[in-house]
Amino acid sequence: MSRAYNFSAGPGTLPESVLVELQAALLEFSTCRAGIMEISHRSQPFEDVLQSAKARMRRVLGVPDDYAILFLQGGASLQFYQVPLNLALPTDATDYIDTGTWASKAYAEAKTVSDAKVIWSSKATTYDRVPAPMDVKPREAAAFVHYTTNNTIYGTQCAAPPATDKRLFADMSSDIASRPIDVARHDVIYAGAQKNLGPSGVTAVLLSPWALARVAEVKAARGGLPSMLDYTVAAANDSMYNTPNTFGIFALERVLAWVEGQGGLPAVAQRISGRAARLYAALDASDFWKPHAQPDSRSSMNVTFRLKNGDLEGAFIKEAHAAGLMELKGHRSVGGMRASLYNALPDEAVDALIAFMGEFERRNG
Ligand SMILES: Cc1ncc(COP(=O)(O)O)c(C=O)c1O
């Protein structure tokens, strides 16, 4: 095998033990005498997978019993539209926190179906920070406040939810399952699976009882919703109104089993924050490196940085790749470097990156 340390921002690295399980299940799953991708989504073996995936999600994330857990398709990008379509009327004030590309895309979609407004933005400082919880000032009439817990492209992360009594909706695509969260404080949480939960093609959506009841009201006022975009249809059919991504849900179930085996989110969070701190310490150690995020907004999932001498960045990425450290190039919209440290990345990968950085600096500093 020649698997490198994979710092990809997503789809990202998956636990090797899970990949081995998936490999076996592709050929023959359980006692089915066929592979996991080849059995009916209505069959008992798949039904068991779906229920287990939901149960693990509930346990791992601490999802209250009365919240719906949905596994949808269309990525987090579809949720940018589906969330306000289902949960706001055209006249409803919907407040958005603009902390980067994905947050502003969510706002752009909300504008088409509600009275959306950006109430806080770090665009002027190239999205190098997130708001302190107290800095978020929603409109009096705000139906909800939408925020992005972790900004994958810029490498910033909210340490805590906004301090407001308004309903909270969160895009948790790039840090879900990396630390304990207060699910009950949120009415809507969604996340594309392809960072910490599994392969792309599955989107996890958590809805509070209030949210599901609100969809029914909005649906009536809008004169109906397209079935495939209607949360109540997805919930009533247990995510199987149409054929779900059966392989993706199976993989997600296995990844969550792996997270449980790691000791759950408190243990994962401790490991993740320790190694991110080591990497930031290396970046702070000399002015050879230029970390992008403000110290109090730094992400433990995506570490973004530049070199003081920008001309060396291409060589850094190329040489790192040759040394077995892949996908360190920053997002195409911002350049520089980005090391994504998702749950499944081994700690040794971060140590290897820090060692490589030291050596690169000695040769070029
Ligand atoms: C925070 C965040 N939100 C949304 C998206 C878009 O996700 P998808 O490609 O699943 O639509 C991404 C993708 O990287 C992301 O990082």
Side-chain angles (χ1 to χ4, degrees):
M1 279 230 290
S2 63
R3 285 172 62 80
Y5 290 135
N6 180 3
F7 295 90
S8 169
T13 191
L14 290 171
E16 236 173 78
S17 61
V18 171
L19 292 174
V20 171
E21 287 183 83
L22 298 182
Q23 200 177 28
L26 281 181
L27 212 57
E28 258 192 86
F29 173 59
S30 183
T31 55
C32 294
R33 306 194 65 193
I36 183 70
M37 293 197 296
E38 304 170 292
I39 59 170
S40 168
H41 58 298
R42 308 278 174 206
S43 66
Q44 192 58 47
F46 183 73
E47 176 66 23
D48 293 346
V49 168
L50 177 67
Q51 296 314 323
S52 177
K54 284 168 56 182
R56 288 193 194 280
M57 193 97 174
R58 221 174 268 290
R59 276 200 303 273
V60 170
L61 295 184
V63 181
D65 288 345
D66 54 0
Y67 273 52
I69 299 177
L70 306 177
F71 298 121
L72 305 180
Q73 301 181 53
S77 299
L78 184 57
Q79 294 310 305
F80 295 163
Y81 179 67
Q82 195 171 353
V83 166
L85 178 75
N86 276 258
L87 289 157
L89 290 170
T91 50
D92 280 351
T94 59
D95 286 1
Y96 279 72
I97 299 177
D98 174 27
T99 46
T101 309
W102 302 115
S104 66
K105 285 190 170 178
Y107 161 69
E109 296 291 323
K111 235 175 19 172
T112 67
V113 287
S114 65
D115 173 21
K117 185 178 178 201
V118 169
I119 56 163
W120 191 95
S121 176
S122 49
K123 190 174 182 183
T125 54
T126 330
Y127 295 120
D128 65 345
R129 66 196 71 189
V130 293
M134 294 304 291
D135 290 348
V136 174
K137 306 274 183 241
R139 284 177 283 178
E140 192 55 43
F144 63 78
V145 174
H146 178 281
Y147 75 114
T148 312
T149 50
N150 184 76
N151 300 283
T152 325
I153 293 176
Y154 295 94
T156 62
Q157 187 174 26
C158 297
T164 167
D165 57 2
K166 302 295 180 198
R167 295 188 182 278
L168 288 180
F169 291 11
D171 174 1
M172 295 196 182
S173 292
S174 53
D175 66 353
I176 194 160
S178 69
R179 58 180 179 174
I181 44 167
D182 185 356
V183 176
R185 178 61 196 93
H186 299 79
D187 282 285
V188 177
I189 291 174
Y190 60 91
Q194 65 270 22
K195 286 94 159 71
N196 273 337
L197 296 178
S200 61
V202 181
T203 313
V205 180
L206 311 180
L207 299 171
S208 73
W210 170 85
L212 272 179
R214 179 70 184 144
V215 178
E217 291 167 8
V218 169
K219 183 176 170 177
R222 284 193 188 276
L225 290 170
S227 303
M228 281 296 289
L229 294 179
D230 181 341
Y231 287 138
T232 59
V233 170
N237 290 277
D238 211 2
S239 302
M240 296 217 282
Y241 174 70
N242 76 325
T243 317
N245 177 350
T246 52
F247 175 75
I249 293 170
F250 174 65
L252 176 145
E253 194 275 338
R254 289 292 80 207
V255 170
L256 288 174
W258 176 83
V259 171
E260 288 192 292
Q262 300 280 301
L265 297 191
V268 167
Q270 198 177 14
R271 188 169 68 83
I272 295 295
S273 59
R275 69 195 195 179
R278 291 205 299 282
L279 181 51
Y280 282 116
L283 289 168
D284 287 338
S286 89
D287 70 357
F288 186 78
W289 312 100
K290 295 266 165 250
H292 176 70
Q294 291 295 308
D296 57 0
S297 295
R298 286 173 168 178
S299 167
S300 60
M301 292 278 101
N302 312 97
V303 178
T304 49
F305 57 100
R306 311 218 53 146
L307 291 182
K308 189 168 122 192
N309 177 356
D311 292 344
L312 287 172
E313 288 177 355
F316 178 86
I317 292 160
K318 207 165 145 213
E319 289 175 29
H321 186 91
L325 307 166
M326 64 182 265
E327 299 278 1
L328 285 166
K329 198 170 184 326
H331 189 267
R332 61 187 186 285
S333 63
V334 295
M337 274 75 66
R338 170 174 57 176
S340 296
L341 315 180
Y342 296 129
N343 291 355
L345 186 79
D347 289 352
E348 304 84 71
V350 182
D351 297 333
L353 172 60
I354 293 170
F356 174 79
M357 286 165 56
E359 191 235 321
F360 188 85
E361 183 176 355
R362 267 191 300 283
R363 279 190 283 114
N364 297 283

